[in-house]
Amino acid sequence: MEDSVNGAREEAAGSLWLSVARLARRLRQESMGDLTPSQRSVLATLDRRGPLRMGELASIEGVSRPSITGIIGRLEGSGLVTREPSPEDARSTIVRLTAPAREILDTTSRRRSAFLAKRMTHLSDEEVGTLAKVAVLLDKIAAGE
């Protein structure tokens, strides 16, 4: 019994992974201009969590300190983030989004939502409700819950 349950979960995971990858690829086409996926991810993290220390940001993004420093340097050069000393520890740097970054994020979010809403017009109300529930479950999976 347990093997069939695990097999069903693995099969569902494979199907889910493929569907999510296809959708993510398509949504990237509705994305933030010339930014790399790493840069987009950092901006989205800062948008969701607010200003963060470089070390925290590196940890959340799953990259090394030198990698996050490079990403932030490019974003700062584009005017999308600022760096400032941490008030608690002058050796730490706090990274913040700028107004242009928020505008890019807002525009991208509206564009992606419009794309998805248009693609969902052929779905029934019940299917849309199911997708709303799936979104909650995907967030739980992503958070490791």
Side-chain angles (χ1 to χ4, degrees):
M1 174 86 167
E2 189 173 317
D3 284 342
S4 65
V5 169
N6 287 336
R9 285 176 194 254
E10 286 181 19
E11 187 175 328
S15 295
L16 179 62
W17 175 87
L18 185 58
S19 296
V20 168
R22 284 181 181 150
L23 183 58
R25 183 176 55 243
R26 184 58 189 93
L27 287 171
R28 276 192 300 274
Q29 294 170 353
E30 303 291 324
S31 70
M32 305 177 225
D34 295 334
L35 297 175
T36 68
S38 295
Q39 291 168 335
R40 287 191 293 261
S41 181
V42 165
L43 291 178
T45 296
L46 290 170
D47 186 48
R48 278 191 315 276
R49 297 192 178 208
L52 292 168
R53 283 195 220 78
M54 293 280 279
E56 291 172 310
L57 194 51
S59 177
I60 291 165
E61 293 297 314
V63 298
S64 68
R65 291 283 304 233
S67 292
I68 203 67
T69 300
I71 293 166
I72 294 302
R74 287 185 290 283
L75 290 171
E76 186 177 37
S78 297
L80 300 176
V81 299
T82 60
R83 287 190 262 196
E84 59 193 53
S86 169
E88 295 108 25
D89 181 359
R91 297 170 297 169
S92 273
T93 301
I94 301 288
V95 181
R96 295 181 187 280
L97 289 179
T98 62
R102 289 194 189 285
E103 187 175 318
I104 288 171
L105 289 165
D106 289 346
T107 299
T108 299
S109 178
R110 284 192 306 273
R111 199 179 299 155
R112 287 176 174 172
S113 292
F115 166 80
L116 286 172
K118 184 177 179 183
R119 292 286 175 106
M120 292 167 55
T121 57
H122 70 281
L123 299 177
S124 70
D125 290 345
E126 182 180 345
E127 288 170 321
V128 171
T130 299
L131 282 176
K133 291 175 185 173
V134 167
V136 172
L137 295 175
L138 288 174
D139 282 344
K140 285 177 91 170
I141 290 170
E145 296 176 9

